[in-house]
Amino acid sequence: MAIARAERLVNLVLCLLSTRQYLTAERIRAIVPGYADAATDEAFFRMFERDKTELRDLGVPLETGRSAGFDAIDGYRIARRDYELGDIDLEPDEAAAVALAARLWDSPQFTGAAHGALIKLRAAGVDVDQDVHVPVEPKVRTSEPAFPPLLAAVQEGRVVEFDYRRPVPAEVGTRTVEPWGVVAWRGRWYLVGHDRDRSAARCFRLSRIAGDVRVLGKAGAVQRPDQLDLLSFVTRTQPAADQVVATAKLWVAEGRAQGVRRRARIVGAEQFDGEPGDLLEIDLRFPDSAATWIAGFGPDVVVLEPEVLAKTVREKLLGALRGAGVRA
């Protein structure tokens, strides 16, 4: 978000918080710095509509109404009772979980947002220890080069163009897309949007985008459909080739790794190195990415079969230990 727009949004919030009356759009235009830059009435209303949507997306409780029965036009205000942050009381383990969650993202786009959230919690009197130690720390990685420009285009409502590799038939073609959102599924990132070249909704795997993403047109040109579930759209439209299932056999320590247990089937009980636990079978559509997920549970989960997956998990655990300065 541009600095000028950020300042305008802050000014708008301060203005609407400081009044008990409903302010009309024209009154806001005259009061809030930044709106006077709009060259025409139409440009102002487009700008104001985008700002209202941005505030609502940020969770700001924007109210619409009229100050008196004879007012002919709706106005806007922010009720302080709904806007102000209530008391936050986190137990030490809950605060540690928040700090760990903030460290999961391994990308500049989300690291800044997570850091800002921790600052707000500390301002509210919550002691969040960002240096909480865990033996193995999983990461949500967004290393795809196309991710930052696509995310920015989604937020700004701008059309994008990129070269896309199709596996069958093997070819590269240019696609022009109205982006609705970027979502992760089964260890991969996908763009969901309206494909202008196909005149239909489509999803695109980010790893198949070749070269740079080019942004077209003005901001606000793209409107995401109401009630659209991006993840459901991706799961419905992915080809069968992306859904090959492999079964793995795991040992899970007794009472631990509930995230694995929810996805797996218990087939027996067995000790491992003297520790009690259960034998589980789990179906994995993407064993490669599953290795990182399994390694995140540390010694509580051991892969027994297949050997390739077990080796990959061991290598990731050893790599994490080396990175922490621990000798295996």
Side-chain angles (χ1 to χ4, degrees):
M1 186 168 56
I3 293 177
R5 186 181 181 191
E7 292 177 351
R8 188 175 71 243
L9 287 173
V10 171
N11 291 330
L12 177 59
V13 170
L14 293 175
C15 172
L16 297 180
L17 273 174
S18 62
T19 179
R20 293 183 180 180
Q21 304 295 316
Y22 290 99
L23 300 180
T24 65
E26 287 295 341
R27 181 64 176 154
I28 292 171
R29 183 180 184 180
I31 295 175
V32 176
Y35 287 125
D37 298 336
T40 64
D41 291 344
E42 183 181 356
F44 160 69
F45 283 110
R46 284 200 306 268
M47 183 188 302
F48 186 49
E49 287 299 321
R50 288 197 300 270
D51 288 352
K52 287 192 297 180
T53 299
E54 183 79 15
L55 291 182
R56 290 188 174 113
D57 289 344
L58 292 171
V60 177
L62 195 63
E63 290 186 349
T64 304
R66 300 182 184 183
S67 299
F70 53 81
D71 286 347
I73 302 175
D74 285 341
Y76 306 90
R77 71 180 183 185
I78 297 172
R80 187 176 295 273
R81 65 181 182 278
D82 297 328
Y83 180 76
E84 291 178 343
L85 185 65
D87 293 337
I88 300 175
D89 185 16
L90 297 181
E91 297 296 329
D93 58 338
E94 294 173 328
V98 170
L100 179 58
R103 288 159 51 186
L104 289 178
W105 283 101
D106 190 23
S107 69
Q109 294 77 26
F110 290 98
T111 299
H115 180 66
L118 293 180
I119 291 176
K120 292 178 182 178
L121 285 173
R122 292 194 180 101
V126 179
D127 185 17
V128 179
D129 182 8
Q130 229 175 328
D131 297 323
V132 59
H133 175 71
V134 289
V136 177
E137 182 176 321
K139 288 287 185 181
V140 180
R141 299 186 183 275
T142 55
S143 58
E144 299 290 352
F147 184 90
L150 288 177
L151 180 63
V154 169
Q155 293 173 336
E156 296 172 6
R158 302 182 68 179
V159 179
V160 294
E161 181 183 80
F162 50 82
D163 296 329
Y164 191 71
R165 294 190 300 267
R166 292 184 57 190
V168 181
E171 61 182 17
V172 177
T174 300
R175 312 297 281 270
T176 304
V177 179
E178 299 172 10
W180 295 336
V182 183
V183 63
W185 183 67
R186 304 294 189 186
R188 294 187 173 97
W189 287 94
Y190 295 87
L191 168 70
V192 179
H194 177 76
D195 186 341
R196 288 186 172 181
D197 303 295
R198 305 296 190 275
S199 298
R202 292 286 190 273
C203 67
F204 305 88
R205 190 192 300 179
L206 266 59
S207 60
R208 292 179 180 165
I209 294 178
D212 296 332
V213 174
R214 301 172 291 279
V215 181
L216 309 176
K218 298 180 179 180
V222 178
Q223 297 296 324
R224 174 175 166 176
D226 295 334
Q227 310 300 323
L228 174 66
D229 187 331
L230 297 176
L231 184 59
S232 296
F233 182 85
V234 172
T235 58
R236 290 196 310 268
T237 56
Q238 283 312 287
D242 278 357
Q243 302 180 19
V244 178
V245 178
T247 300
K249 192 172 184 179
L250 312 174
W251 175 87
V252 178
E254 185 176 13
R256 307 301 296 272
Q258 298 302 321
V260 174
R261 291 177 179 274
R262 284 194 293 269
R263 299 177 179 225
R265 304 176 295 276
I266 298 178
V267 296
E270 185 175 303
Q271 289 191 349
F272 185 85
D273 284 346
E275 293 289 333
D278 298 308
L279 295 178
L280 279 66
E281 286 186 351
I282 185 170
D283 295 330
L284 303 174
R285 298 185 185 276
F286 299 101
D288 293 340
S289 58
T292 302
W293 174 63
I294 293 172
F297 293 95
D300 292 335
V301 179
V302 177
V303 178
L304 304 178
E305 298 175 4
E307 178 57 31
V308 173
L309 178 60
K311 181 179 179 181
T312 303
V313 172
R314 286 195 297 269
E315 290 174 347
K316 290 183 178 296
L317 289 170
L318 290 173
L321 291 174
R322 285 193 293 267
V326 179
R327 290 188 177 182

